[in-house]
Amino acid sequence: MARPTKSGIDYFPLDCEWDNKIEMYIAEKESTGLAVLVTLWQLIYKNSYFIEYNDDLLLLTKKRINVDINLINECINSAVQRGIFDRNLFESGILTSKAIQKRFFEAAKRKKVVQVY
């Protein structure tokens, strides 16, 4: 029996130099904000190019980096305000962005099958 097809990717590129919106986000939220952002990217790319924004996501992020849920929420809201995540989709309960989707599909080109939702 064949192994089930993975919908996510095993790795994602991380830029050596941040753009201005991420630089300003990190200046505001410091190392905790960076940890939240990278953890969210890991959770997103693990399964696809988006993730549902809900209490389970906050708990999973808390478990991974041991940061208070309120601080995680502040970081996510700041990332949305700075355009790191798409505001309209966030208001619908989804975390993603054009940049996340672009990176996902670039990395997924090497896959034989790519699931699109």
Side-chain angles (χ1 to χ4, degrees):
M1 184 160 88
R3 175 191 264 184
T5 304
K6 282 177 63 174
S7 56
I9 54 179
D10 292 326
Y11 67 93
F12 62 93
L14 191 60
D15 296 333
C16 293
E17 192 169 314
W18 306 109
D19 63 14
N20 286 341
K21 58 187 168 186
I22 293 180
E23 284 283 349
M24 295 307 296
Y25 167 81
I26 294 171
E28 178 186 2
K29 296 300 179 186
E30 300 178 333
S31 59
T32 300
L34 181 58
V36 168
L37 194 57
V38 171
T39 300
L40 291 171
W41 286 338
Q42 288 175 320
L43 293 169
I44 290 169
Y45 289 124
K46 176 182 174 184
N47 294 307
S48 186
Y49 50 88
F50 70 95
I51 196 164
E52 287 184 47
Y53 174 71
N54 56 32
D55 291 340
D56 288 347
L57 175 64
L58 297 174
L59 282 172
L60 187 55
T61 305
K62 177 187 183 331
K63 176 187 169 277
R64 286 188 172 206
I65 60 174
N66 195 27
V67 172
D68 182 76
I69 286 179
N70 293 325
L71 187 51
I72 294 168
N73 244 335
E74 287 177 23
C75 290
I76 292 171
N77 286 322
S78 177
V80 170
Q81 288 176 342
R82 295 202 176 272
I84 296 169
F85 295 113
D86 182 272
R87 181 182 305 275
N88 292 328
L89 291 171
F90 174 73
E91 290 171 358
S92 301
I94 300 292
L95 281 181
T96 192
S97 69
K98 287 182 182 179
I100 288 170
Q101 293 171 24
K102 180 182 174 190
R103 283 187 203 101
F104 174 82
F105 287 111
E106 280 294 317
K109 282 182 182 177
R110 295 180 198 96
K111 296 175 70 155
K112 293 180 182 176
V113 176
V114 177
Q115 250 183 317
V116 177
Y117 302 95

